[in-house]
Amino acid sequence: MTGKHRERLPEWAREASLGIFIHWGPYAVPAWAEPEHIAGEEEPEGGWFKHSSYSEWYANTIRIEGSPAAAHHAEVYGSAPYEDFLDQWQAEDYDPAAWARLFASLGADYVVPVTKHHDGVTLWDAPGSEGWNTVDRGPKRDLLGPLADAVRAEGMRFGVYYSGGLDWSITDFPPIVEVDDIWRYRPNDAAYAAYATAHVRDLIDRYRPSVLWNDIEWPETGKEDGSLDELIAHYREVVPDGIVNDRWGADVWDYRTSEYSMGREKEDGVGWEHNRGLGSSFGYNHVEDESLTLSPRALAEHYTDVVSRGGRLLLNVGPDASGRIPDVQLRTLDGVAGWMSALKPYTADRSYPGADAVTVSAADGNWCRHWASGDRLVVVADRPEAVDVTAPGHEVVRIALPD
């Protein structure tokens, strides 16, 4: 299996239905992006990257001439470099135990924090990252270890996100303005491949993550010289039931991922993962208010739809620079937590009931999804009592969506 994906996910991953993504970095200090655009949907005039709704891309967007982010940065911060935000990021209210309790209250199975995003800042003292990590600057501490301990104490699994394909701290490429620029302006040399490999190997050895989540592929040299295969083999030895996502540009993945409206063709079968934020950004964007954030009801619908189609939802939270989860996000999470945790026992052992034996019919205007969980047929709807169900051999469980 060295360097190749699994034929079957481990049991915990097959049973899982909800993960929590955490995007937290220096970008939480400016916490700004245009919030109107959803990734993968109709592009705004001027293109996605010029008008990106991802606040975690702030270091790129402010370098695009004529972008609203560049104008905002000039107005608020003048000519201050992005690295100033690393020093201003203090994480003074960071309480990983409180985060973990919140995530557990939602019925989350696993938690995946960003350990290095495209800005190159590592949230631990990664090998070779001196002067560009949260131990040397800003928060002045390892932000990952305490979270790993807190997450596991609440009975959830701990994973890691790592941006293997982009690192703006070690390159002097122009900003990414169009999709092709992502592949044109990314480091692929042997030195960067060794740097990234050392980071991920350190994450594996220190934190034993159950999920290894890479982004924007892997440097080409690392694919060609065999070091990526060696890295994945090491991971499988250290964490035998760990799982690997599909964003390496190589055949090392265990499951497919989609993001907002991108990659929907990958949402097939059982075990895929859909990831998105509560708003249109992953990192905290202080512009996003309640009108731009999923309501408890909308989140319940989204989660139910993913579960009914055999997937897992990797739902992102974006803490502010102090480490607090913003009130607009807490409103949604607290508002749906009781409902999602009550649904949790019915999301395991999912399968598709036989089409010949099971029929589910809901009248127009009665939003409805269903799936099999063992010998139970789970029906979630606006008015579940009004859904007509024929399910021989299944106990029918009817659950109403939250108001």
Side-chain angles (χ1 to χ4, degrees), residues 288-309:
E288 290 183 346
D289 58 15
E290 288 187 9
S291 70
L292 297 166
T293 303
L294 290 177
S295 67
R297 159 66 182 246
L299 175 54
E301 285 188 4
H302 192 74
Y303 173 63
T304 300
D305 178 64
V306 169
V307 169
S308 73
R309 293 185 290 116

Side-chain angles (χ1 to χ4, degrees), residues 121-261:
V121 175
T122 66
L123 275 65
W124 86 111
D125 53 337
S129 69
E130 290 78 11
W132 203 244
N133 63 59
T134 61
V135 176
D136 292 344
R137 296 171 67 176
K140 294 291 184 68
R141 59 195 186 276
D142 172 7
L143 299 176
L144 300 179
L147 182 60
D149 291 343
V151 162
R152 287 167 173 148
E154 292 291 339
M156 297 173 289
R157 287 178 175 258
F158 182 76
V160 294
Y161 164 109
Y162 183 85
S163 174
L166 289 177
D167 191 322
W168 299 322
S169 71
I170 55 103
T171 60
D172 58 1
F173 291 127
I176 294 167
V177 180
E178 54 187 46
V179 172
D180 287 347
D181 290 342
I182 293 178
W183 316 114
R184 186 180 298 121
Y185 301 144
R186 67 189 187 97
N188 284 308
D189 56 281
Y192 177 66
Y195 180 74
T197 298
H199 284 189
V200 174
R201 190 177 182 101
D202 193 51
L203 288 169
I204 293 167
D205 292 341
R206 286 203 202 195
Y207 307 114
R208 303 295 200 270
S210 291
V211 181
L212 198 58
W213 215 105
N214 183 65
D215 206 6
I216 318 289
E217 294 201 6
W218 194 251
E220 296 303 317
T221 301
K223 299 177 194 176
E224 295 164 0
D225 66 9
S227 59
L228 175 58
D229 280 351
E230 292 174 2
L231 180 65
I232 298 300
H234 177 67
Y235 175 61
R236 299 205 187 283
E237 180 179 354
V238 173
V239 190
D241 64 350
I243 58 175
V244 179
N245 80 328
D246 64 341
R247 300 191 182 188
W248 303 79
D251 189 24
V252 298
W253 55 273
D254 297 323
Y255 67 93
R256 292 298 197 184
T257 62
S258 60
E259 179 174 328
Y260 285 95
S261 293

